[in-house]
Amino acid sequence: MLVTGGAGFIGANFVIHTVERHPETEVIVLDALTYAGNRRNLDAVAGQVTFIQGDICDSEIVDRCVRDCDTVVHFAAESHVDNSLHDPSPFIRSNIIGTFTILEAVRRYERRLHHISTDEVFGDLPLDSADQFTEETPYDPSSPYSASKASSDMLVRAWVRSYGVLATLSNCANNYGPYQHVEKFIPRQVTNVLTGARPKLYGAGVNVREWTHVDDHNEAVHRILADGRIGQTYLVGSGDERSNKEIVELILELMGCPVDGYDRVDDRPGHDLRYSNDSTKLRTELGWRPRYGDFRAGLAATIEWYRDNEWWWKPRKSETEAKYQVLGR
Ligand code: NAD
Ligand code: TDX
């Protein structure tokens, strides 16, 4: 199995999960080690996977890797909305050209592909409504990041239909868990508290996200690889929706701080209001259920992970906050 982006947050957790629960699978990781990738995310499986540092836009490397595997699980992407608003170009390159390069190799060698995507391709939902995204919701991306992911999904669908590529797709909402980069919402606030800084809430903090533990997302990917129907899209989501304000207050409470100890900063331009996935298809067709039903407990464990692994996040904290200072957030 070739795992692109296997040194990033979700990809590394996927590789660890795969080595632990599917030891018969031989894993090759292809990752460019951008600012978001970290070889040490794979320390737990050192010696058990093959690591290749390379760019998914490099057709020679991709060709060699795809030729040597049966299945490709494609996580590699530029993944942070704020970065895409500041400079969209790496998003166009890695997310669109990179996915095109993977698709051409998969087509050439007739390999099975699973493409990892996001619910952000659907745009957003009204606040305080019961609406949900489904597999049939029309695409309506808001940010350069989500537009580039929507483009990559469209390429995968076209390659399935026109060339018979054996691909499935999944679109998950926000993930949390260990090894998530400190630029993202939950790790940023937790490491702010750990470094004596105040959490930063965009705007009024009313925006709502659906939070899924990274291991639940990865279990869904394994179910789709095992029994998913070719050409199909599966939405992944825990059903646990929370406003950003609620999350910041919960982090502060769990870390023993006053719950109003945060700053309000400028809002993100084009900020999506609410995400919520209807994952009925994944649940009924493939029997998936989230194991991390208790968000509070999952968040507490994630906070503990960041407390115990300062060596992992500390070297990236100041450069990340310097980027936010440029953005005024
Ligand atoms: P991440 O930024 O933590 O990791 C991305 C990885 O891809 C890094 O290791 C990076 O080095 C690698 N990469 C980037 N560009 C590359 C290139 N051109 N060639 C090779 N490697 C490259 O991202 P993540 O949060 O783990 O997200 C993984 C995937 O899941 C992405 O496709 C993202 O769109 C999707 N997704 C993320 C979330 C979330 O909440 N984080 C939710 C739904 C979907
Ligand atoms: O400091 C912050 N303060 C804040 O209020 C940060 C970094 C974020 N926010 C808000 C913005 C969002 O409403 O928190 C929410 C979550 O922000 P992000 O962690 O940047 O995630 P989001 O933009 O929702 O996108 C995430 O989920 C879908 C991932 O980063 C994407 O890769 C995934 O596709």
Side-chain angles (χ1 to χ4, degrees):
M1 177 185 286
L2 174 66
V3 182
T4 73
F9 162 48
I10 308 176
N13 280 289
F14 178 82
V15 170
I16 294 166
H17 176 119
T18 304
V19 169
E20 281 169 2
R21 300 205 207 149
H22 303 269
E24 72 290 353
T25 304
E26 206 178 303
V27 177
I28 304 171
V29 172
L30 174 63
D31 196 297
L33 297 181
T34 67
Y35 81 95
N38 187 344
R39 186 73 211 262
R40 296 215 53 193
N41 293 1
L42 297 169
D43 276 1
V45 292
Q48 299 174 78
V49 301
T50 302
F51 182 84
I52 296 170
Q53 183 170 359
D55 190 329
I56 53 165
C57 301
D58 178 339
S59 55
E60 267 177 42
I61 287 188
V62 168
D63 200 86
R64 250 185 292 134
C65 291
V66 170
R67 191 191 57 202
D68 291 345
C69 71
D70 302 314
T71 302
V72 181
V73 186
H74 178 35
F75 290 94
E78 288 290 334
S79 68
H80 193 40
V81 173
D82 290 315
N83 292 343
S84 82
L85 291 161
H86 184 63
D87 178 11
S89 54
F91 290 76
I92 303 304
R93 187 177 176 279
S94 293
N95 300 2
I96 305 178
I97 308 291
T99 301
F100 162 69
T101 309
I102 300 280
L103 281 166
E104 284 294 83
V106 162
R107 171 158 85 102
R108 193 168 308 121
Y109 295 106
E110 298 181 359
R111 301 300 193 239
R112 170 83 168 85
L113 170 69
H114 181 69
H115 174 67
I116 307 292
S117 193
T118 167
D119 64 343
E120 296 192 25
V121 299
F122 303 119
D124 61 358
L125 296 162
L127 290 174
D128 303 323
S129 77
D131 297 354
Q132 291 199 295
F133 299 130
T134 72
E135 284 80 6
E136 280 72 46
T137 302
Y139 277 34
D140 187 18
S142 317
S143 70
Y145 162 68
S146 51
S148 68
K149 291 296 291 186
S151 307
S152 68
D153 292 13
M154 294 299 182
L155 292 176
V156 175
R157 290 178 180 201
W159 262 241
V160 170
R161 175 154 173 169
S162 297
Y163 300 121
V165 160
L166 303 174
T168 42
L169 302 91
S170 56
N171 299 71
C172 189
N174 295 60
N175 283 206
Y176 72 100
Y179 301 108
Q180 187 168 31
H181 196 282
V182 289
E183 69 191 353
K184 301 295 195 307
F185 180 50
I186 288 177
R188 185 182 186 204
Q189 315 315 335
V190 171
T191 56
N192 273 3
V193 175
L194 292 174
T195 52
R198 286 161 70 92
K200 306 282 182 253
L201 194 61
Y202 293 174
V206 294
N207 306 60
V208 170
R209 297 293 183 261
E210 181 189 27
W211 291 96
T212 302
H213 193 277
V214 65
D215 289 345
D216 283 331
H217 181 184
N218 285 329
E219 178 55 27
V221 174
H222 272 292
R223 299 250 172 153
I224 297 166
L225 284 169
D227 295 316
R229 285 181 290 138
I230 297 301
Q232 294 288 309
T233 290
Y234 295 86
L235 262 51
V236 186
S238 65
D240 199 328
E241 291 180 40
R242 312 229 167 198
S243 74
N244 295 338
K245 182 167 176 286
E246 218 181 315
I247 302 260
V248 163
E249 289 174 352
L250 188 53
I251 289 171
L252 285 163
E253 182 203 320
L254 290 168
M255 297 183 80
C257 305
V259 294
D260 59 354
Y262 60 85
D263 294 332
R264 288 212 167 129
V265 295
D266 284 352
D267 207 351
R268 173 187 281 174
H271 197 170
D272 280 342
L273 292 173
R274 175 174 160 257
Y275 304 142
S276 177
N277 276 345
D278 178 348
S279 53
T280 304
K281 179 174 171 183
L282 180 70
R283 291 171 193 246
T284 53
E285 244 183 54
L286 303 180
W288 177 83
R289 295 277 177 287
R291 286 192 317 119
Y292 290 81
D294 182 348
F295 177 75
R296 190 186 166 92
L299 181 62
T302 303
I303 292 170
E304 279 320 295
W305 189 87
Y306 282 89
R307 229 191 255 290
D308 293 345
N309 290 282
E310 193 178 292
W311 65 271
W312 183 84
W313 56 265
K314 200 69 178 277
R316 285 152 179 226
K317 183 66 180 166
S318 49
E319 75 187 24
T320 303
E321 289 307 316
K323 277 194 200 172
Y324 276 117
Q325 211 149 30
V326 173
L327 299 176
R329 290 199 281 281

